[in-house]
Amino acid sequence: MFETLSKATLDKIFVLMAEYAADPRTDKIDLGVGVYKDETGNTPIMSAVRKAEKRMNETARTKTYVGVVGNRGFSSAVVDLALGGVVDAGRIRTVNGNGGTGALMVLAHVLGRARPGGRIYISDPSWPNHWPLVEAAGLVPHSYPYFDPRTRQVDFGAMMGVLDGLTPDDIVLLHGCCHNPTGASLSPEQWDTIAASLARTGAFPLIDLAYLGFGDGIEADAYGTRRVVAAVPEAMVAFSASKNFGLYRERAGVAIAIARNAADADIVSSQMQNVLRASISQTPDHGAEIVRIILGDAALRAEWEAELTAMRERMKRLREKLAEAIRQRSNATDFDFLARHTGMFSLLGLPEDVVARLKVDDGVYMINDSRINVAGIPEDRIGELADRLLAAVG
Ligand code: PMP
């Protein structure tokens, strides 16, 4: 059987993680892996999560199946959080996903059934999973320009050059906020333009919302998603609770479909359930129930929001401090974009040989496209990191 197979390419991030772990240098710096880290380098369990989990464990009476659509209380709380009531609930249907990726997978498969071989436009660059995920769903990925490596900001003119030419048969995959891998996010005015363009062309938006609350706050980060779903008759949103609730391994996510009317919504719902049933059958509930408890309890919700704010502010501070340290040392504003980017990532725009040198010579690890995780910046060694970066770019 297996003789027909050849080795599949594994995500380079896993290789990088292993190299970092094996590096004996005590002053090594990990800017690679995409999880939030606190000042001790730990990815913490949020205190609101611990409390909700305790409550859940004390009151739960069963571990029986939840049902194929998953935890409805979790889904509706997430819909309220992400969409803020801009779409009539009668047009919305949800299923839980195995994390945000699982939600995206369900939505992509439904789109693959609706438009077999259909074109889906993905930002260049994007999260590396996007291409294989949509291909597995029978869609054909194309890219649209997004990042200008010169300014390290969004090349909005080039992006709209493609989006404005789309047709009602096309799908466009948008990052809701905190664009991974670039960190260059869209402004509210740019979202307005995108929403108007989609309403005009009829292209179908699929929004990947994996970092709500990591950029400028929940409301500000939800702006683009809300603007788009309010402007078009049909859309989909994949929500992930991995980052903003720190629930990575619990795999909590929601696949949200918005249809023209309730009858269409029921059809889409049956398709989402069918995709789930034919693949993983049911989704995990542990993280979903924790989020449901937090969002449904005023005190826990306030505690969660405060913790999320602290994480966001820490990342902002690290961005500003690193940009400032580089400015002081080099008298140049080349790295000021770090402070303008949002979320956990920034694409530094460095060539691969410089990224390799930083790893080999300086013990500074980042993804080879030069994406850094700003939460990995050691706050007490920012000067040292600035020196190493400046030396490497020469
Ligand atoms: N979309 C994007 C853009 C991401 O970066 C991630 C996580 N790396 C996800 C979706 C999904 O995360 P998860 O499946 O862990 O919820």
Side-chain angles (χ1 to χ4, degrees):
M1 177 59 70
F2 301 146
E3 72 284 356
T4 60
L5 297 175
S6 55
K7 228 176 182 176
T9 337
L10 292 178
D11 203 319
K12 293 198 181 80
I13 183 82
F14 299 120
V15 179
L16 193 76
M17 281 164 73
E19 283 177 348
Y20 180 81
D23 189 334
R25 285 173 287 190
T26 51
D27 63 348
K28 61 189 176 178
I29 296 176
D30 179 15
L31 304 178
V33 69
V35 296
Y36 176 80
K37 291 191 251 177
D38 64 17
E39 50 292 337
T40 69
N42 183 43
T43 302
I45 300 176
M46 295 170 92
S47 128
V49 165
R50 272 198 198 284
K51 289 181 186 166
E53 192 166 35
K54 186 160 177 283
R55 192 181 296 176
M56 177 176 81
N57 287 336
E58 282 165 2
T59 55
R61 290 180 48 247
T62 182
K63 291 277 186 196
T64 188
Y65 296 118
V66 177
V68 70
V69 298
N71 188 320
R72 291 175 194 272
F74 166 54
S75 293
S76 67
V78 162
V79 166
D80 289 347
L81 182 74
L83 305 190
V86 299
V87 176
D88 182 76
R91 291 170 51 214
I92 302 175
R93 297 293 182 275
T94 54
V95 296
N96 289 178
N98 187 324
T101 311
L104 209 52
M105 186 272 288
V106 171
L107 297 173
H109 277 268
V110 171
L111 292 171
R113 291 175 177 188
R115 289 280 185 285
R119 285 181 301 269
I120 178 164
Y121 287 81
I122 298 177
S123 68
D124 176 22
S126 194
W127 186 38
N129 256 21
H130 279 157
W131 277 62
L133 186 147
V134 302
E135 277 173 337
L139 298 167
V140 179
H142 292 254
S143 63
Y144 61 83
Y146 186 80
F147 189 68
D148 181 347
R150 212 173 27 86
T151 61
R152 276 94 154 194
Q153 297 301 325
V154 181
D155 189 347
F156 196 63
M159 176 181 180
M160 293 315 296
V162 172
L163 262 53
D164 280 335
L166 299 184
T167 73
D169 283 333
D170 298 322
I171 302 159
V172 57
L173 179 52
L174 297 159
H175 294 225
C177 60
C178 306
H179 188 275
N180 179 16
T182 72
S185 296
L186 298 159
S187 69
E189 296 72 33
Q190 290 173 332
W191 276 112
D192 294 347
T193 306
I194 291 170
S197 169
L198 292 166
R200 198 171 53 245
T201 63
F204 182 96
L206 169 61
I207 302 179
D208 184 3
L209 189 55
Y211 300 91
L212 186 70
F214 263 39
D216 295 307
I218 294 170
E219 294 301 303
D221 292 352
Y223 180 88
T225 301
R226 293 179 187 174
R227 195 76 178 80
V228 168
V229 298
V232 297
E234 299 176 314
M236 284 174 165
V237 181
F239 177 89
S240 167
S242 298
K243 313 289 155 42
N244 42 19
F245 287 85
L247 281 168
Y248 306 85
R249 67 175 63 167
E250 302 299 357
R251 314 306 301 138
V254 182
I256 304 171
I258 298 159
R260 281 175 202 277
N261 51 48
D264 279 8
D266 285 338
I267 293 172
V268 180
S269 171
S270 71
Q271 290 288 347
M272 294 197 293
Q273 293 177 53
N274 187 268
V275 169
L276 270 178
R277 193 73 184 117
S279 53
I280 58 170
S281 185
Q282 309 234 351
T283 49
D285 191 53
H286 193 84
E289 179 62 4
I290 288 171
V291 174
R292 188 195 67 77
I293 292 171
I294 293 173
L295 293 178
D297 178 292
L300 282 180
R301 188 178 180 129
E303 187 168 347
W304 166 68
E305 283 190 23
E307 291 182 278
L308 180 60
T309 303
M311 296 199 294
R312 176 173 66 247
E313 285 177 352
R314 187 179 116 75
M315 292 187 283
K316 274 201 153 158
R317 191 171 67 241
L318 292 169
R319 287 182 174 286
E320 280 155 15
K321 281 192 169 176
L322 182 58
E324 168 71 18
I326 294 176
R327 204 179 316 123
Q328 275 174 0
R329 282 166 172 73
S330 63
N331 211 13
T333 54
D334 288 13
F335 279 83
D336 279 5
F337 67 85
L338 279 170
R340 286 195 297 270
H341 284 173
T342 59
M344 204 151 68
F345 305 116
S346 268
L347 198 65
L348 299 186
L350 304 178
E352 278 197 23
D353 59 314
V354 173
V355 174
R357 228 174 24 241
L358 273 161
K359 179 177 76 178
V360 176
D361 298 348
D362 300 313
V364 178
Y365 285 73
M366 64 183 74
I367 312 294
N368 62 355
D369 63 359
S370 77
R371 183 193 84 172
I372 64 162
N373 173 3
V374 296
I377 296 171
E379 194 158 8
D380 51 344
R381 292 166 57 208
I382 283 186
E384 209 182 302
L385 175 60
D387 288 337
R388 293 190 207 178
L389 286 173
L390 281 169
V393 296

